[in-house]
Amino acid sequence: MNAFQMIALLLTLTAIFSYLNHRYIRLPATIGVMLIALVFSLVLIGLGKLGLTAVYETAQRLIEQIDFSQTLMQGILSFLLFAGALHVNLDDLAQRKYAITFLATFGVLLSTFLFGTAIYYVFTGLGIGLEYVYCLLFGALISPTDPIAVLGILKKANVPKSLETKICGESLFNDGVGVVVFTVIYEIAAAGHAPEFSHMAFLFLEEAAGGAVFGLILGWVAYHILKSVDNYQVEVLITLAVVTGGYTLAACLHTSGPIAIVIAGLFVGNHGRRFAMSERTREHLDTFWELMDEILNAVLFVLIGLEVLLLSLSGSLFLAGILAIPVILLSRWISVGLPIAILQYWREFTPGAVGILTWGGLRGGISVALALSIPPSEERDILLTVTYIIVLFSIVVQGLTIKPVVTRMLQSADENENIGIN
């Protein structure tokens, strides 16, 4: 099957699943299409178990042809990050820059260590032989919250504005940090020894700081080009060039493409929209990127649902995945709570912020993509299966309950304040 046929198949399935969800199930779009794709995959697996192996094996071969890691990390991600950053208010982000920076760096590193250490003992207790360094690698790929899942689901969760900005800002930046941490730990795992500290520091600066600087330059250039024309077709094309060309050039320069695109998106979405575009251009640009966001989100979550066809699920791995859920939630709670406990001496936080940030820190396609980027091995099979279980729980359970959880936590905080506890 060639690339066009594969895209046609994915878009057709996404359209069918989106219709079924909108017409009959009426769940949030991303969660609905993913659940339908998951059920579809489980039906195919069931047909294989019943002896209809031809259908199952054909579907499995088709999914194997899709490089999920490359499709997301080198394709879809850049569009979704830009679309998300385009509508984030830079002034709101700047007011909470310390909290966002602390959560996206120190929080990711702390969660990586806490989860990696705890899951090592979980695996050992279940008789799953996985070296400690691979458990830390697991912590690196599962600790960053996924901006795609977070931005898509938080839109209708009625989270307080200040808290929504922290969650969105953290999720937009911590995936870039998480990829760097993942890369460093993977080098240790592959080489069998830790690289020099100077090498790790240089890699971090090159990827994270280099990506931020490149993103600023990219956004500044795009802003001045947009300001020089008043034609919405041309201006939409310019933003497409920023996303595709900028992301590709960032990779060639060995800087973080995700961070660069987020910075460029913030620049264009704020200064560009305010000073370089007419009202007509803003309307067309918003419509285009909102539609792009919805379509690619739906395709991505369908892919997540279909990836179950490639899992090697055993009883011990399933149990490990179930046990890993409270471990990642506890690690998230500590890695969020500690920075907030430090920062609250200088900044005010919404009552219940730790709980909301913990439950609202969703995992998604980026974690699955990083697990799939590990070369085929026993370690990869273990990490991929357990990652998938965590991601399913995160998107379905946390995603569907974030609104009532936020409401309940805020009500509890108000009640506590009224009786003088806070």
Side-chain angles (χ1 to χ4, degrees):
M1 182 176 287
N2 60 39
F4 179 79
Q5 291 171 328
M6 187 62 69
I7 292 170
L9 177 61
L10 277 176
L11 286 175
T12 302
L13 286 175
T14 303
I16 294 170
F17 296 162
S18 296
Y19 171 79
L20 292 174
N21 178 62
H22 180 77
R23 184 73 175 82
Y24 300 106
I25 304 175
R26 298 189 179 279
L27 287 173
T30 50
I31 298 175
V33 295
M34 190 198 75
L35 283 177
I36 296 172
L38 178 62
V39 171
F40 179 72
S41 299
L42 293 175
V43 169
L44 291 175
I45 293 172
L47 291 175
K49 299 290 185 183
L50 292 174
L52 299 174
T53 56
V55 176
Y56 168 67
E57 290 173 356
T58 299
Q60 193 176 46
R61 281 196 301 271
L62 289 174
I63 299 303
E64 285 175 344
Q65 290 181 40
I66 303 172
D67 190 330
F68 183 93
S69 181
Q70 287 294 312
T71 300
L72 175 58
M73 302 302 291
Q74 302 300 328
I76 294 176
L77 180 61
S78 59
F79 291 90
L80 294 177
L81 286 176
F82 186 84
L86 204 60
H87 296 96
V88 174
N89 188 290
L90 194 57
D91 294 332
D92 292 340
L93 209 61
Q95 290 176 9
R96 297 159 184 87
K97 57 182 179 293
Y98 297 112
I100 291 170
T101 301
F102 216 171
L103 290 170
T105 52
F106 176 74
V108 169
L109 291 170
L110 180 59
S111 178
T112 296
F113 172 75
L114 291 174
F115 178 81
T117 302
I119 205 67
Y120 172 75
Y121 290 105
V122 171
F123 283 151
T124 301
L126 294 174
I128 300 172
L130 196 66
E131 295 178 28
Y132 181 63
V133 67
Y134 277 99
C135 292
L136 288 178
L137 189 69
F138 191 8
L141 69 88
I142 205 68
S143 290
T145 54
D146 191 318
I148 300 164
V150 170
L151 293 171
I153 293 171
L154 277 184
K155 289 177 183 177
K156 300 179 181 178
N158 294 333
V159 176
K161 185 64 178 178
S162 62
L163 206 52
E164 182 183 351
T165 301
K166 291 186 183 77
I167 297 173
C168 292
E170 179 204 3
S171 66
L172 283 170
F173 287 104
N174 70 7
D175 62 304
V177 175
V179 169
V180 176
V181 176
F182 176 87
T183 303
V184 171
I185 296 177
Y186 181 72
E187 283 191 14
I188 297 173
H193 60 83
E196 295 180 359
F197 175 78
S198 59
H199 171 72
M200 293 188 290
F202 176 77
L203 180 62
F204 183 84
L205 285 174
E206 182 182 39
E207 289 282 336
V213 172
F214 178 68
L216 278 173
I217 295 171
L218 187 64
W220 182 84
V221 171
Y223 165 73
H224 282 280
I225 295 174
L226 290 167
K227 194 174 181 179
S228 67
V229 296
D230 185 17
N231 182 294
Y232 72 85
Q233 295 99 327
V234 175
E235 292 178 80
V236 168
L237 278 172
I238 290 168
T239 59
L240 278 172
V242 167
V243 172
T244 55
Y247 198 89
T248 303
L249 184 55
C252 294
L253 296 174
H254 301 290
T255 62
S256 173
I259 291 177
I261 293 301
V262 167
I263 296 293
L266 289 170
F267 203 109
V268 172
N270 287 268
H271 293 288
R273 283 165 52 84
R274 193 178 305 171
F275 304 115
M277 298 178 191
S278 65
E279 184 62 33
R280 188 183 185 197
T281 296
R282 280 193 291 270
E283 290 177 4
H284 282 284
L285 189 76
D286 288 347
T287 301
F288 174 83
W289 280 105
E290 285 171 11
L291 186 60
M292 183 74 74
D293 185 42
E294 295 293 335
I295 292 172
L296 291 180
N297 252 312
V299 171
L300 173 60
F301 279 81
V302 166
L303 272 173
I304 293 174
L306 295 175
E307 283 293 316
V308 73
L309 293 169
L310 304 182
L311 298 183
S312 302
L313 189 60
S314 64
S316 59
L317 285 182
F318 180 77
L319 180 57
I322 298 300
L323 294 175
I325 292 169
V327 174
I328 188 59
L329 289 173
L330 179 60
S331 300
R332 170 72 176 171
W333 182 74
I334 296 172
S335 63
V336 165
L338 189 56
I340 288 180
I342 295 171
L343 291 171
Q344 69 182 356
Y345 290 103
W346 299 277
R347 304 281 176 179
E348 289 188 6
F349 286 85
T350 303
V354 174
I356 295 171
L357 281 164
T358 299
W359 198 251
L362 307 181
R363 274 74 189 176
I366 290 175
S367 294
V368 176
L370 289 175
L372 284 166
S373 71
I374 302 170
S377 60
E378 183 181 354
E379 290 85 359
R380 177 184 185 264
D381 292 340
I382 293 170
L383 295 185
L384 177 60
T385 301
V386 181
T387 297
Y388 194 86
I389 293 170
I390 294 173
V391 167
L392 282 183
F393 175 88
S394 181
I395 294 172
V396 177
V397 179
Q398 291 176 244
L400 287 177
T401 59
I402 183 64
K403 186 174 180 178
V405 165
V406 167
T407 302
R408 179 57 190 157
M409 286 185 176
L410 292 176
Q411 287 176 347
S412 297
D414 289 341
E415 291 170 1
N416 289 338
E417 283 188 356
N418 291 334
I419 63 175
I421 293 178
N422 285 339

